[in-house]
Amino acid sequence: MLEKNPQFHVSLRGDELLASPRFNKGTGFTLEERKAFGLVGRLPCKVNTLDEQCKRAYAQYQSRDSPIRKNSFLQSLKEQNWVLYYSLISRHLREMVPIIYTPTEAEAISDYSHLFRRSEGLYLTLKDQESMEEDFLEQIKDRDVDLVVCSDAEAILGIGDQGVGGIGISTAKSVIYTLIGGMDPSKSLSVTLDVGTNNEDLLNDDLYVGWNHERVRGEEYDQFVDKFVQLVRKHLPCSLLHFEDFGVTNAQRLLQKYRPTHSVFNDDIQGTGAVTLACVMAAVGITKTKLSDQRYIIFGAGSAGMGITHQLRDAIVQLNDGISESQANKLFYLIDKDGLITQDLISSTGTS
């Protein structure tokens, strides 16, 4: 968690300090700090308060004429000055969360290769997995990491397979942990697991910066993911591993596989499901009915939809004596892109 008034001992000076987003304070450096760190002459003479810096940054933000331009501005600000970035968004949380997260971040992710400027996390590619541990250790060297957010980018924010652009959702989710949960951003690690992509637009894009290969599945995929998870367990045993935007065929399966051995969380399944369950329980409390009295239509049978279904179903079984899991299942109707999901549809499409 973030300390209220932390003090740091840093060896950076001059331009190196100004280039560090974690420690750079821009015109917020005091006169004493400027002398101590060799910043006199590298900054304008005026010392600004954080409120003044936020006022200036907000005016710059407002001058951008579209959500994606506002997203790009905030991304650039984060790469320069963490304190100003998080302070600005905290002051305008309701306005800016839709810019740094859904829905605007989806547009930024879909155009990631064309907007790319600099690295923003750990990129692990299946074809380069021989050096995975070395790459992993290089990223966490001299760091105290409490949170690892990873995605294979198969089901990004309702826009589907986005390949290496999935790093954008991992970093965006890490930002939410800081803004809402108080997580120290220096203690989070954002990861994309690049196992290829089935997005034809990306595969045919000469500027695509990820692995230009069809998405790998099956045993080879499982071995790659397991290798990564075992590195987290080995080197960051006390961390939380957050799975983000995995496809429906993998999300629940991976969650169940690793829950017994590490602290893991899937927001699409558990977070969305918990929030929905709380809302429905509040509603039945007002109407003086039971969860088992309702009929549920789930519009979208992806990871989030199935997470909602499982949480509601399990609550019905636990709160209503005599109702079995199979009986509770009959209260739900799932609608996906092919329409109402029936046993015949499952058989014809080969889905489970």
Side-chain angles (χ1 to χ4, degrees), residues 27 34 44 61 71 80 96 128 133 212 247 262-263 280-281 311 323:
T27 55
R34 296 181 186 203
Y61 168 87
N71 175 283
Q80 300 172 55
M96 291 184 176
D128 299 323
E133 184 164 18
N212 198 289
H262 195 81
S263 296
V280 175
M281 290 186 70
Q311 294 238 21
I323 294 183

Side-chain angles (χ1 to χ4, degrees), residues 194-244:
D194 189 353
V195 295
T197 178
N198 289 337
N199 186 325
E200 291 295 331
D201 290 337
L202 298 180
L203 291 174
N204 294 323
D205 186 349
D206 292 338
L207 294 180
Y208 179 56
V209 295
W211 185 30
N212 198 289
H213 190 282
E214 290 185 357
R215 181 170 287 271
V216 173
R217 301 189 184 279
E219 183 177 354
E220 189 177 5
Y221 171 90
D222 287 348
Q223 290 175 349
F224 176 70
V225 173
D226 187 68
K227 188 172 184 178
F228 163 69
V229 174
Q230 299 313 320
L231 288 177
V232 174
R233 294 185 60 213
K234 177 181 177 180
H235 298 291
L236 303 171
C238 297
S239 66
L240 170 66
L241 177 56
H242 178 121
F243 293 116
E244 181 71 19

